[in-house]
Amino acid sequence: MNGARETTTAEVAGPDRSAAAPTTDVPGPWGADPYSDALARGRGPLFLRRTDGWLLPLEVERWCARADAVDLQVLGRCEGAVLDVGCGPGRLVAELAARGHRVLGIDVSETAVARTLRLGGQALRRSVFEPLPGEGRWDTALLVDGNIGIGGDPAALLRRLSRLVAPGGLLLAETLPDMDVDERVSVHVVRALDAEGGAGGPAFPWARVGTPALLRHGVRAGWRPEGQWAAGGRSFAALRNRSDRAARHVRRTSSAAEPPNSTAVISSQRARKPSPGRPVADR
Protein backbone atom coordinates (compact mmCIF):
# COMPACT_ATOMS: atom_id res chain seq x y z
CA MET A 1 0.00 0.00 0.00
CA ASN A 2 -0.22 3.80 0.86
CA GLY A 3 5.69 14.76 4.36
CA ALA A 4 5.22 13.60 7.52
CA ARG A 5 5.39 14.20 11.21
CA GLU A 6 6.35 11.65 13.82
CA THR A 7 3.46 10.95 16.18
CA THR A 8 4.22 9.60 19.61
CA THR A 9 1.23 10.45 21.77
CA ALA A 10 -1.96 11.64 20.17
CA GLU A 11 -5.65 10.91 20.09
CA VAL A 12 -6.20 7.71 18.18
CA ALA A 13 -9.12 7.70 15.80
CA GLY A 14 -11.85 5.50 17.11
CA PRO A 15 -15.31 5.41 18.56
CA ASP A 16 -13.93 5.70 22.13
CA ARG A 17 -10.54 6.13 23.82
CA SER A 18 -8.63 4.24 26.53
CA ALA A 19 -5.27 2.52 27.16
CA ALA A 20 -3.82 0.26 24.49
CA ALA A 21 -3.86 -3.50 24.87
CA PRO A 22 -0.60 -5.26 25.79
CA THR A 23 1.98 -5.45 23.04
CA THR A 24 3.02 -8.74 21.48
CA ASP A 25 5.58 -9.40 18.78
CA VAL A 26 4.90 -12.43 16.61
CA PRO A 27 6.72 -12.47 13.27
CA GLY A 28 4.59 -13.09 10.19
CA PRO A 29 4.90 -13.23 6.42
CA TRP A 30 4.49 -9.49 5.94
CA GLY A 31 7.32 -8.78 8.37
CA ALA A 32 9.69 -10.79 6.17
CA ASP A 33 12.57 -8.94 4.52
CA PRO A 34 11.27 -8.74 0.91
CA TYR A 35 8.12 -6.87 1.92
CA SER A 36 9.76 -4.72 4.61
CA ASP A 37 12.63 -3.83 2.29
CA ALA A 38 10.27 -2.82 -0.52
CA LEU A 39 8.21 -0.59 1.78
CA ALA A 40 11.36 0.99 3.21
CA ARG A 41 12.49 1.84 -0.35
CA GLY A 42 8.98 2.78 -1.47
CA ARG A 43 9.23 0.63 -4.61
CA GLY A 44 9.25 -2.92 -5.96
CA PRO A 45 9.35 -5.09 -7.82
CA LEU A 46 7.63 -7.46 -5.41
CA PHE A 47 5.33 -10.43 -5.99
CA LEU A 48 3.21 -13.07 -4.36
CA ARG A 49 4.48 -16.41 -5.67
CA ARG A 50 2.48 -19.63 -5.57
CA THR A 51 4.24 -22.99 -5.31
CA ASP A 52 3.56 -23.69 -9.00
CA GLY A 53 5.32 -20.46 -10.07
CA TRP A 54 2.20 -18.30 -10.53
CA LEU A 55 3.03 -14.65 -9.79
CA LEU A 56 0.91 -11.72 -8.65
CA PRO A 57 2.58 -8.27 -8.67
CA LEU A 58 2.31 -6.14 -5.54
CA GLU A 59 1.78 -2.45 -6.29
CA VAL A 60 4.33 -1.10 -3.82
CA GLU A 61 4.78 2.23 -5.58
CA ARG A 62 1.03 2.93 -5.52
CA TRP A 63 0.71 1.91 -1.88
CA CYS A 64 3.60 4.21 -0.91
CA ALA A 65 2.26 7.19 -2.89
CA ARG A 66 -0.51 9.57 -1.92
CA ALA A 67 -4.11 8.43 -2.29
CA ASP A 68 -5.07 8.59 -5.97
CA ALA A 69 -8.36 9.49 -7.65
CA VAL A 70 -9.77 5.97 -7.30
CA ASP A 71 -8.81 5.86 -3.62
CA LEU A 72 -10.53 9.19 -3.08
CA GLN A 73 -13.78 7.81 -4.51
CA VAL A 74 -13.65 5.01 -1.95
CA LEU A 75 -12.77 7.32 0.92
CA GLY A 76 -15.63 9.64 -0.01
CA ARG A 77 -18.02 6.83 0.96
CA CYS A 78 -16.55 6.36 4.45
CA GLU A 79 -18.79 7.10 7.41
CA GLY A 80 -17.70 8.15 10.89
CA ALA A 81 -14.81 6.34 12.59
CA VAL A 82 -12.86 4.18 10.13
CA LEU A 83 -10.78 1.02 10.66
CA ASP A 84 -8.35 0.37 7.77
CA VAL A 85 -7.57 -3.37 7.84
CA GLY A 86 -4.15 -4.04 6.34
CA CYS A 87 -3.35 -0.34 6.10
CA GLY A 88 0.14 -0.83 4.63
CA PRO A 89 2.26 2.34 4.58
CA GLY A 90 -0.75 4.47 5.41
CA ARG A 91 -1.86 6.49 2.40
CA LEU A 92 -5.57 5.97 3.16
CA VAL A 93 -5.19 6.51 6.90
CA ALA A 94 -3.36 9.80 6.30
CA GLU A 95 -5.94 11.03 3.79
CA LEU A 96 -8.88 10.15 6.04
CA ALA A 97 -7.25 11.90 8.99
CA ALA A 98 -6.73 15.00 6.82
CA ARG A 99 -10.44 14.89 5.99
CA GLY A 100 -11.33 14.93 9.68
CA HIS A 101 -12.22 11.27 10.19
CA ARG A 102 -11.21 9.43 13.28
CA VAL A 103 -9.22 6.59 11.75
CA LEU A 104 -7.01 3.72 12.84
CA GLY A 105 -4.89 1.50 10.58
CA ILE A 106 -3.83 -2.01 11.54
CA ASP A 107 -1.10 -4.01 9.83
CA VAL A 108 1.27 -6.84 10.74
CA SER A 109 4.27 -5.18 9.14
CA GLU A 110 6.35 -3.07 11.51
CA THR A 111 7.70 -1.12 8.52
CA ALA A 112 4.18 -0.39 7.26
CA VAL A 113 3.05 0.83 10.66
CA ALA A 114 6.15 3.02 11.02
CA ARG A 115 5.48 4.65 7.63
CA THR A 116 1.86 5.30 8.61
CA LEU A 117 2.96 6.98 11.82
CA ARG A 118 5.44 9.14 9.92
CA LEU A 119 2.58 10.36 7.73
CA GLY A 120 0.83 11.51 10.90
CA GLY A 121 -1.70 8.65 10.89
CA GLN A 122 -2.60 6.36 13.76
CA ALA A 123 -1.72 2.67 13.38
CA LEU A 124 -1.20 -0.48 15.40
CA ARG A 125 0.86 -3.53 14.51
CA ARG A 126 -1.82 -6.12 15.07
CA SER A 127 -3.76 -8.87 13.33
CA VAL A 128 -7.39 -8.34 12.46
CA PHE A 129 -8.02 -11.67 14.22
CA GLU A 130 -6.55 -10.42 17.52
CA PRO A 131 -8.44 -8.25 20.04
CA LEU A 132 -8.74 -4.73 18.64
CA PRO A 133 -9.72 -1.30 19.94
CA GLY A 134 -13.39 -0.38 19.74
CA GLU A 135 -14.74 -3.79 18.78
CA GLY A 136 -18.33 -3.52 17.61
CA ARG A 137 -18.22 0.28 17.36
CA TRP A 138 -16.39 1.13 14.11
CA ASP A 139 -18.64 2.94 11.63
CA THR A 140 -16.67 1.86 8.54
CA ALA A 141 -14.09 -0.83 7.79
CA LEU A 142 -11.82 -0.69 4.74
CA LEU A 143 -10.60 -3.86 3.05
CA VAL A 144 -8.77 -2.65 -0.07
CA ASP A 145 -5.65 -3.43 -2.13
CA GLY A 146 -6.37 -7.15 -2.15
CA ASN A 147 -6.87 -7.46 1.61
CA ILE A 148 -9.92 -9.68 1.20
CA GLY A 149 -7.18 -12.31 0.89
CA ILE A 150 -6.06 -11.96 4.53
CA GLY A 151 -5.91 -15.34 6.22
CA GLY A 152 -6.90 -17.30 3.11
CA ASP A 153 -10.52 -17.57 4.30
CA PRO A 154 -12.81 -14.71 3.15
CA ALA A 155 -15.80 -16.12 5.04
CA ALA A 156 -13.91 -16.09 8.34
CA LEU A 157 -12.54 -12.62 7.66
CA LEU A 158 -16.00 -11.23 6.88
CA ARG A 159 -17.45 -12.84 10.02
CA ARG A 160 -14.69 -11.21 12.05
CA LEU A 161 -15.38 -7.81 10.46
CA SER A 162 -19.08 -8.14 11.25
CA ARG A 163 -18.06 -8.21 14.91
CA LEU A 164 -15.74 -5.21 14.60
CA VAL A 165 -18.15 -2.89 12.78
CA ALA A 166 -21.12 -1.32 14.54
CA PRO A 167 -24.70 -2.45 13.83
CA GLY A 168 -25.62 -0.86 10.51
CA GLY A 169 -21.97 0.01 9.85
CA LEU A 170 -20.29 -0.09 6.46
CA LEU A 171 -17.67 -2.32 4.83
CA LEU A 172 -15.90 -1.07 1.69
CA ALA A 173 -14.05 -3.93 0.03
CA GLU A 174 -11.95 -4.19 -3.12
CA THR A 175 -12.40 -7.27 -5.28
CA LEU A 176 -10.88 -8.76 -8.41
CA PRO A 177 -12.10 -6.75 -11.42
CA ASP A 178 -14.77 -8.42 -13.57
CA MET A 179 -13.95 -11.89 -12.24
CA ASP A 180 -16.08 -14.49 -10.48
CA VAL A 181 -13.05 -15.94 -8.72
CA ASP A 182 -13.10 -17.59 -5.31
CA GLU A 183 -9.81 -19.38 -4.67
CA ARG A 184 -7.46 -20.28 -1.82
CA VAL A 185 -3.71 -20.49 -2.36
CA SER A 186 -0.46 -20.79 -0.45
CA VAL A 187 1.98 -18.02 -1.39
CA HIS A 188 5.35 -16.42 -0.57
CA VAL A 189 6.34 -12.76 -0.82
CA VAL A 190 9.29 -12.62 -3.23
CA ARG A 191 11.47 -10.02 -4.96
CA ALA A 192 11.96 -10.10 -8.71
CA LEU A 193 15.25 -11.95 -8.26
CA ASP A 194 13.44 -14.59 -6.20
CA ALA A 195 10.54 -14.97 -8.60
CA GLU A 196 11.90 -18.06 -10.34
CA GLY A 197 11.74 -19.99 -7.10
CA GLY A 198 14.52 -18.64 -4.91
CA ALA A 199 14.32 -17.55 -1.29
CA GLY A 200 11.51 -15.32 -0.15
CA GLY A 201 9.30 -14.86 2.87
CA PRO A 202 7.58 -17.78 4.62
CA ALA A 203 4.56 -19.44 2.99
CA PHE A 204 1.11 -18.33 4.15
CA PRO A 205 -2.53 -18.80 3.07
CA TRP A 206 -4.10 -16.23 0.77
CA ALA A 207 -7.39 -15.81 -1.10
CA ARG A 208 -8.47 -14.16 -4.34
CA VAL A 209 -12.11 -13.12 -4.56
CA GLY A 210 -14.27 -11.49 -7.22
CA THR A 211 -17.38 -9.45 -6.47
CA PRO A 212 -19.97 -12.26 -6.82
CA ALA A 213 -18.02 -14.46 -4.39
CA LEU A 214 -17.52 -11.58 -1.97
CA LEU A 215 -21.25 -10.91 -1.91
CA ARG A 216 -22.03 -14.60 -1.35
CA HIS A 217 -19.61 -14.82 1.56
CA GLY A 218 -20.81 -11.47 2.89
CA VAL A 219 -24.47 -12.42 3.05
CA ARG A 220 -23.63 -15.58 4.98
CA ALA A 221 -21.39 -13.60 7.35
CA GLY A 222 -24.06 -11.07 8.29
CA TRP A 223 -23.63 -8.36 5.64
CA ARG A 224 -26.22 -6.84 3.29
CA PRO A 225 -24.99 -5.83 -0.19
CA GLU A 226 -25.38 -2.10 -0.71
CA GLY A 227 -23.63 -1.37 -3.98
CA GLN A 228 -20.75 -2.09 -6.30
CA TRP A 229 -18.70 -0.01 -8.73
CA ALA A 230 -15.55 0.03 -10.82
CA ALA A 231 -13.01 2.79 -11.42
CA GLY A 232 -9.50 2.92 -12.83
CA GLY A 233 -9.47 -0.81 -13.56
CA ARG A 234 -10.33 -1.62 -9.92
CA SER A 235 -13.58 -3.06 -8.53
CA PHE A 236 -15.30 -2.43 -5.20
CA ALA A 237 -18.36 -3.42 -3.21
CA ALA A 238 -20.14 -1.82 -0.28
CA LEU A 239 -21.84 -3.96 2.34
CA ARG A 240 -23.91 -2.97 5.38
CA ASN A 241 -23.66 -4.81 8.70
CA ARG A 242 -27.01 -6.36 9.53
CA SER A 243 -27.93 -4.77 12.84
CA ASP A 244 -29.49 -7.80 14.53
CA ARG A 245 -26.35 -9.95 14.22
CA ALA A 246 -23.94 -7.18 15.23
CA ALA A 247 -26.10 -5.98 18.12
CA ARG A 248 -26.22 -9.47 19.64
CA HIS A 249 -22.43 -9.59 19.57
CA VAL A 250 -22.09 -6.15 21.19
CA ARG A 251 -24.45 -7.16 24.01
CA ARG A 252 -22.40 -10.33 24.60
CA THR A 253 -19.09 -8.44 24.57
CA SER A 254 -19.41 -6.11 27.52
CA SER A 255 -15.64 -5.89 27.95
CA ALA A 256 -14.68 -5.16 24.33
CA ALA A 257 -11.31 -3.41 23.97
CA GLU A 258 -11.33 0.39 23.76
CA PRO A 259 -9.23 2.42 21.30
CA PRO A 260 -5.88 3.52 22.75
CA ASN A 261 -4.69 7.04 23.44
CA SER A 262 -1.18 6.45 22.08
CA THR A 263 0.38 5.08 18.93
CA ALA A 264 1.40 1.72 20.35
CA VAL A 265 2.87 -0.70 17.82
CA ILE A 266 1.42 -4.15 18.26
CA SER A 267 1.48 -7.55 16.49
CA SER A 268 0.68 -10.09 13.84
CA GLN A 269 -1.74 -10.76 11.01
CA ARG A 270 -1.84 -13.82 8.89
CA ALA A 271 -1.32 -12.08 5.57
CA ARG A 272 -1.96 -9.02 3.46
CA LYS A 273 -1.28 -6.86 0.54
CA PRO A 274 -1.34 -7.71 -3.09
CA SER A 275 -3.10 -5.69 -5.72
CA PRO A 276 -6.36 -7.35 -6.76
CA GLY A 277 -5.20 -7.49 -10.39
CA ARG A 278 -4.34 -10.42 -12.59
CA PRO A 279 -1.16 -12.47 -12.10
CA VAL A 280 1.94 -11.67 -14.12
CA ALA A 281 2.41 -15.21 -15.29
CA ASP A 282 1.25 -18.76 -15.00
CA ARG A 283 4.31 -20.95 -15.04
Side-chain angles (χ1 to χ4, degrees):
M1 281 208 43
N2 273 345
R5 62 182 177 86
E6 190 72 32
T7 304
T8 54
T9 56
E11 177 179 293
V12 163
D16 302 290
R17 298 188 298 276
S18 75
T23 297
T24 58
D25 189 10
V26 181
W30 296 102
D33 283 344
Y35 183 66
S36 298
D37 291 349
L39 288 194
R41 295 192 313 269
R43 62 182 187 276
L46 200 67
F47 303 88
L48 289 187
R49 183 183 187 277
R50 205 163 59 190
T51 54
D52 64 0
W54 173 95
L55 295 173
L56 180 67
L58 305 184
E59 296 187 60
V60 177
E61 290 84 355
R62 180 169 67 81
W63 301 337
C64 290
R66 296 184 60 131
D68 63 20
V70 176
D71 295 328
L72 296 180
Q73 288 184 35
V74 177
L75 300 186
R77 296 172 179 254
C78 288
E79 302 170 355
V82 182
L83 180 68
D84 186 359
V85 178
C87 66
R91 77 188 192 281
L92 304 183
V93 173
E95 179 64 30
L96 284 166
R99 291 174 171 226
H101 284 270
R102 294 180 295 170
V103 55
L104 176 67
I106 59 169
D107 203 286
V108 297
S109 164
E110 183 175 0
T111 304
V113 168
R115 284 191 65 128
T116 302
L117 298 180
R118 286 197 296 272
L119 289 176
Q122 299 290 337
L124 300 176
R125 188 180 180 210
R126 192 177 297 188
S127 168
V128 68
F129 296 107
E130 293 177 310
L132 289 172
E135 296 211 4
R137 290 184 294 280
W138 294 98
D139 299 304
T140 303
L142 291 176
L143 200 61
V144 300
D145 295 334
N147 288 330
I148 186 63
I150 289 173
D153 187 343
L157 178 58
L158 290 166
R159 287 193 299 270
R160 172 61 175 148
L161 289 171
S162 75
R163 297 191 292 271
L164 291 172
V165 173
L170 185 66
L171 171 63
L172 300 174
E174 186 166 359
T175 65
L176 290 169
D178 305 318
M179 297 176 70
D180 189 6
V181 174
D182 189 7
E183 67 178 20
R184 315 291 176 268
V185 293
S186 178
V187 295
H188 300 257
V189 180
V190 297
R191 305 177 182 88
L193 293 177
D194 304 323
E196 294 299 328
F204 58 92
W206 194 254
R208 299 175 70 238
V209 179
T211 300
L214 172 72
L215 298 181
R216 289 194 299 269
H217 290 304
V219 167
R220 289 194 290 267
W223 296 93
R224 182 180 73 250
E226 188 161 284
Q228 52 188 280
W229 72 100
R234 299 165 64 190
S235 296
F236 303 89
L239 301 95
R240 187 71 63 177
N241 201 6
R242 294 207 295 266
S243 298
D244 55 347
R245 181 186 182 100
R248 285 198 300 270
H249 172 75
V250 170
R251 287 196 295 269
R252 289 197 305 270
T253 316
S254 59
S255 60
E258 301 290 332
N261 57 12
S262 68
T263 57
V265 176
I266 311 187
S267 96
S268 107
Q269 201 152 305
R270 301 285 99 49
R272 73 164 289 293
K273 275 276 90 9
S275 161
R278 298 175 183 270
V280 162
D282 292 300
R283 297 182 185 274

